[in-house]
Amino acid sequence: MTHLTRRAMLAMAGAAVLSACSSTVPMLPASSASTPENLSDAEILAAINAVRKANGAPPWAYNGRLEAAARSQARLMAAKNKLSHDLGVTLRERVTEAGYLGAVGENVAGGHPNLQSAIQGWMNSAGHRSTLLSPKFTEFGLAVARTEQGKLYWAMIAGGSFQAWLV
């Protein structure tokens, strides 16, 4: 009997360790948008900040210039049907063209059917998770574009002061 209890305790301890390693993405409320392209800035802001809050990060503000740069990248990925950070136009070139001059980081995703799935993908990738939860960034913009075949490409650009990176 003691032997079974010890096994049960070991199994529960193992499950606890594994759950602690998993990413924290809260269940997001169902969107009123019928398609990802119809998500409002408020819905996007709420989704990103819910994940940040669940992981102990401060909230971000939404930035239209960063959204414009993200839209440029999402559309380029969809047009080329290729997931990449650089498809001939660098991140710095895109944000500068959109009028944003601060420090930036970018997350891209392809094939995710909704925002929650894209966020989960970023949370499962160490580099993307770092960008999404960074306390050095203070704002972001997000966009999605669809290929002619219907595949979705997501781009999120986070931004903030260069000063935050000098510490």
Side-chain angles (χ1 to χ4, degrees):
M1 188 81 163
T2 305
H3 188 64
L4 289 176
T5 304
R6 179 180 271 157
R7 283 186 186 169
M9 290 299 285
L10 288 173
M12 289 188 327
V17 168
L18 288 175
S19 69
C21 294
S22 69
S23 59
T24 303
V25 179
M27 287 303 296
L28 303 175
S31 170
S32 60
S34 59
T35 66
E37 295 93 339
N38 292 334
L39 287 168
S40 70
D41 293 352
E43 289 171 314
I44 294 167
L45 182 65
I48 294 295
N49 281 334
V51 172
R52 289 181 56 77
K53 182 178 180 179
N55 289 276
W60 282 344
Y62 201 78
N63 183 294
R65 290 181 177 160
L66 291 174
E67 178 187 349
R71 183 177 299 108
S72 171
Q73 181 63 8
R75 287 179 176 167
L76 186 57
M77 290 187 299
K80 295 187 176 208
N81 197 18
K82 184 175 181 182
L83 181 65
S84 177
H85 289 279
D86 187 356
L87 293 169
V89 181
T90 67
L91 172 58
R92 178 52 52 198
E93 289 169 334
R94 284 185 277 111
V95 297
T96 300
E97 184 175 314
Y100 193 85
L101 303 177
V104 291
E106 179 179 61
N107 285 356
V108 295
H112 294 278
N114 54 50
L115 181 56
Q116 181 154 356
S117 176
I119 291 171
Q120 183 65 61
W122 292 330
M123 290 296 287
N124 291 339
S125 160
H128 292 105
R129 180 185 175 94
S130 177
T131 299
L132 182 59
L133 300 180
S134 175
K136 293 182 179 183
F137 294 125
T138 58
E139 56 193 352
F140 78 104
L142 185 143
V144 62
R146 191 180 297 269
T147 67
E148 289 182 12
Q149 297 76 29
K151 182 177 180 181
L152 292 171
Y153 284 96
W154 301 83
M156 182 198 79
I157 301 175
S161 169
F162 282 112
Q163 292 298 108
W165 297 91
L166 299 177
V167 179

